[in-house]
Amino acid sequence: MSKNNFSVPQEELARQREYTDLVRTVISSRYPQAHPKAFVHTYGCQGNVADGERLKGMLQDMGYDFTERAEEADLVLYNTCAIREHAQDRVFGNVGALKPIKKQRPGMIIALCGCMMQQQSVAEKIRESYSFVDLVFGTHVAYKLPEFIYQCLCSGKRVFDLSGGDGNIAEGLPIRRDGTFKAWIPIMYGCNNFCSYCIVPYVRGRERSRDFDAVLQEAKEVIDAGYKEITLLGQNVNSYNRDLEKDKQFPALLKAISELEGDFIIRFMTSHPKDCTEELLQVMASSEKIAKHLHLPFQSGNDRVLREMNRHYDRKKYLELIERAYELMPELSITSDVIVGFPGETYEEFCDTLSLVERVKYTSLFTFIFSPRPGTKAFSMPDPVSREEKGRWFRELTDLQEKIAGERTASMKGRVYRVLVEEKAKGEGMLCGRTEGNIMIEFPGDESLIGSFANVKVTNPRTWIVYGEFVK
Ligand code: SAH
Ligand code: SF4
Ligand code: F3S
């Protein structure tokens, strides 16, 4: 059995393709000289970026070209993120800045979508106070973009669709990928874990997995198209197809992709420690095509805080996993997410986070100060520690990580790493590439190397930039 119950029916997708044709007709009479331009900006996680690539694919099929400048766009679409308050404030700021622009370009369509819109209070605020926003839609109906754009172009009315539900999966949407050698492939959507601080389960709905063969097929297509790096995405990839047989679950998927022909590397995120299995580590260790990099968020090193966070593992289990992973893959690079100042966390409890960081020796850390999200359990927990105090803890953590990262990069000196060359670096004639372990190395080299693998010897490792030289 490999079917899920969440597929958007083919007839509905066909209806959207009809709208795509209708929009194309409207557009070609309304913009006879040149294609209208769309400015699409995505905030938040890679999953959201992957959604953005599908939104752009649909717009391209409708006849839109793209621009990097909102001021000259005929359509502005912000694909938003709700994970922390700061992320939301930025969106409100950027949307506000469009008001005078729209005054000068009255035909401009301003559209907002993504996780933020799935919160009722945000949608209400846009409805009431941002009357120049024409279109608002949530995460569960993004595949209806052609219909929405058609309504905006033809009805002159504001369009809001914030249908809830537990979400669905629309297979076969057109994709306009941002990169030419790195591809994002979502394998699942939503989340069932309800970590007490987190908004994702509320704005993304229940966990649902894409069909195994559909993912495998997409991987094959991007590899055949010359992509060199695939990142499999989900909030908790380890629970991919958890209701199906083992041969359809995440380790099997990872293995099947690694067995495809071609010169490429596979990454994945995010792994939840509670579901990270021996089997997954074995598969990682078994294939050269799977990057020896594990992003395994621990959030806190203290058992009481972990319980309050509803994470379903403790410090001991986490450290055992890490130990086993290093045993199987001595060169493994581990990264993580940490929250500082969860409601009620004491300084002593925070010190358990510091000691865990010291012990694991992460390559890098994504560190966040707790941000209360309306509707989550932690939102209403007593939170006596001041922002300033949390700021001090935060700096203590980042200082420690800086020291560890420095020691880690220092040990790279003289060694040769295979990197995927990603782009030009700041200095004249410099390139930058990323190792399997997700460490950036800068080195002098010809631009033609961008998008391919190169061997680079580390000559001068600094804490934040590691310098090297190209070797054959
Ligand atoms: N599904 C992933 C995390 C996705 S969100 C996992 O469980 O690991 C990315 C990170 O944002 C989280 O790991 C967490 O560290 C951080 N985060 C989520 N909600 C937050 C909040 N309310 N305040 C601060 N950080 C938060
Ligand atoms: Fe949020 Fe937890 Fe789900 Fe990650 S696993 S998305 S932190 S609820
Ligand atoms: Fe943000 Fe939504 Fe991703 S809240 S982190 S864009 S799932």
Side-chain angles (χ1 to χ4, degrees):
M1 187 179 107
S2 64
K3 257 193 121 43
N4 62 58
N5 303 317
F6 302 99
S7 304
V8 175
Q10 282 307 314
E11 308 82 73
E12 173 57 21
L13 295 175
R15 211 169 68 86
Q16 293 305 325
R17 283 194 293 275
E18 284 167 22
Y19 275 112
T20 302
D21 294 339
L22 286 173
V23 171
R24 208 200 307 261
T25 312
V26 175
I27 274 179
S28 59
S29 67
R30 209 169 286 185
Y31 302 88
Q33 310 292 349
H35 291 278
K37 293 196 179 90
F39 169 85
V40 180
H41 187 77
T42 294
Y43 300 83
C45 62
Q46 276 86 356
N48 222 29
V49 171
D51 287 349
E53 293 182 335
R54 282 157 175 81
L55 293 165
K56 281 188 265 191
M58 288 187 270
L59 287 171
Q60 181 164 284
D61 279 7
M62 287 179 238
Y64 281 92
D65 265 350
F66 295 89
T67 172
E68 295 295 310
R69 294 176 52 224
E71 316 83 80
E72 61 162 27
D74 301 288
L75 165 71
V76 173
L77 174 59
Y78 282 126
N79 183 23
T80 63
C81 167
I83 199 83
R84 283 169 292 273
E85 205 170 350
H86 178 69
Q88 294 207 163
D89 293 346
R90 272 196 5 237
V91 172
F92 279 121
N94 288 347
V95 175
L98 292 174
K99 192 175 180 180
I101 300 172
K102 173 133 180 180
K103 269 222 167 82
Q104 289 174 353
R105 300 171 63 84
M108 186 183 209
I109 296 174
I110 299 182
L112 303 176
C113 66
C115 296
M116 232 173 113
M117 301 307 128
Q118 211 65 51
Q119 300 170 96
Q120 213 176 352
S121 59
V122 171
E124 284 310 316
K125 182 166 167 180
I126 303 283
R127 203 192 285 274
E128 301 292 315
S129 317
Y130 291 74
S131 57
F132 57 95
V133 172
D134 305 286
L135 165 60
V136 176
F137 58 98
T139 56
H140 302 300
V141 289
Y143 66 90
K144 287 191 183 168
L145 184 62
E147 182 175 348
F148 298 148
I149 297 288
Y150 182 74
Q151 287 172 342
C152 284
L153 287 168
C154 298
S155 79
K157 290 197 189 122
R158 302 177 83 193
V159 177
F160 279 71
D161 189 339
L162 301 160
S163 314
D166 281 340
N168 42 36
I169 296 179
E171 277 301 344
L173 295 179
I175 307 175
R176 185 178 191 271
R177 293 188 194 275
D178 293 339
T180 52
F181 51 88
K182 288 167 63 155
W184 309 113
I185 303 189
I187 63 167
M188 60 193 303
Y189 301 95
C191 184
N192 287 354
N193 290 313
F194 290 93
C195 300
S196 60
Y197 49 81
C198 184
I199 192 98
V200 171
Y202 301 92
V203 294
R204 284 279 169 177
R206 294 295 61 73
E207 203 170 273
R208 52 218 185 266
S209 299
R210 281 181 71 191
D211 178 69
F212 189 96
D213 295 326
V215 174
L216 196 59
Q217 180 57 28
E218 188 175 337
K220 214 164 169 313
E221 280 165 16
V222 297
I223 294 161
D224 290 346
Y227 282 81
K228 295 286 179 252
E229 181 182 293
I230 290 175
T231 307
L232 305 175
L233 300 171
Q235 292 299 350
N236 177 10
V237 290
N238 299 326
S239 64
Y240 173 77
N241 275 346
R242 71 153 86 229
D243 302 330
L244 303 188
E245 300 80 15
K246 273 219 173 332
D247 66 348
K248 293 283 181 263
Q249 292 183 355
F250 187 60
L253 179 71
L254 200 53
K255 187 153 188 292
I257 297 176
S258 74
E259 283 165 358
L260 293 174
E261 236 162 80
D263 188 18
F264 62 92
I265 188 155
I266 313 166
R267 301 182 184 279
F268 56 90
M269 65 191 302
T270 296
S271 265
H272 194 305
K274 82 178 164 60
D275 300 312
C276 182
T277 55
E278 167 76 15
E279 209 178 344
L280 172 69
L281 299 176
Q282 295 273 4
V283 170
M284 276 182 86
S286 73
S287 169
E288 283 199 343
K289 288 189 183 158
I290 304 173
K292 298 297 167 284
H293 171 213
L294 185 60
H295 183 65
L296 197 66
F298 72 97
Q299 314 297 0
S300 163
N302 177 270
D303 285 344
R304 189 197 69 83
V305 175
L306 284 172
R307 265 196 311 278
E308 290 293 309
M309 287 178 163
N310 195 30
R311 289 289 288 180
H312 294 283
Y313 54 85
D314 58 14
R315 180 187 174 96
K316 182 161 170 281
K317 148 124 193 192
Y318 185 86
L319 287 171
E320 278 167 10
L321 262 176
I322 298 285
E323 203 173 306
R324 180 66 184 140
Y326 277 140
E327 216 170 81
L328 287 168
M329 296 167 277
E331 298 287 320
L332 184 66
S333 161
I334 303 179
T335 57
S336 198
D337 296 347
V338 194
I339 296 178
V340 174
F342 183 79
E345 184 178 41
T346 64
Y347 182 71
E348 286 66 37
E349 289 169 335
F350 167 71
C351 286
D352 288 342
T353 289
L354 293 176
S355 69
L356 190 139
V357 166
E358 183 83 70
R359 178 113 173 244
V360 177
K361 306 230 178 294
Y362 293 101
T363 303
S364 58
L365 278 184
F366 297 90
T367 43
F368 308 103
I369 291 185
F370 170 74
S371 170
R373 307 312 296 128
T376 63
K377 192 162 174 232
F379 182 78
S380 42
M381 290 181 180
D383 189 7
V385 176
S386 70
R387 186 83 192 180
E388 291 69 38
E389 184 66 12
K390 289 184 185 183
R392 280 192 287 277
W393 301 1
F394 184 84
R395 277 187 299 281
E396 206 174 327
L397 175 62
T398 49
D399 285 351
L400 170 63
Q401 179 54 31
E402 189 172 328
K403 183 188 87 153
I404 293 167
E407 288 164 8
R408 266 202 159 249
T409 48
S411 72
M412 294 170 75
K413 189 165 178 163
R415 294 185 55 189
V416 175
Y417 292 84
R418 185 174 185 247
V419 301
L420 178 58
V421 187
E422 294 195 343
E423 56 191 1
K424 289 205 275 183
K426 274 215 184 84
E428 178 73 26
M430 295 294 281
L431 299 174
C432 83
R434 195 180 292 272
T435 67
E436 254 190 73
N438 220 22
I439 297 171
M440 299 295 287
I441 305 185
E442 294 194 6
F443 62 101
D446 192 83
E447 266 180 59
S448 61
L449 288 172
I450 293 175
S452 61
F453 291 106
N455 290 324
V456 177
K457 181 173 177 179
V458 172
T459 51
N460 180 17
R462 310 237 186 107
T463 302
W464 297 121
I465 306 183
V466 176
Y467 293 99
E469 62 191 22
F470 178 60
V471 290
K472 284 269 174 271

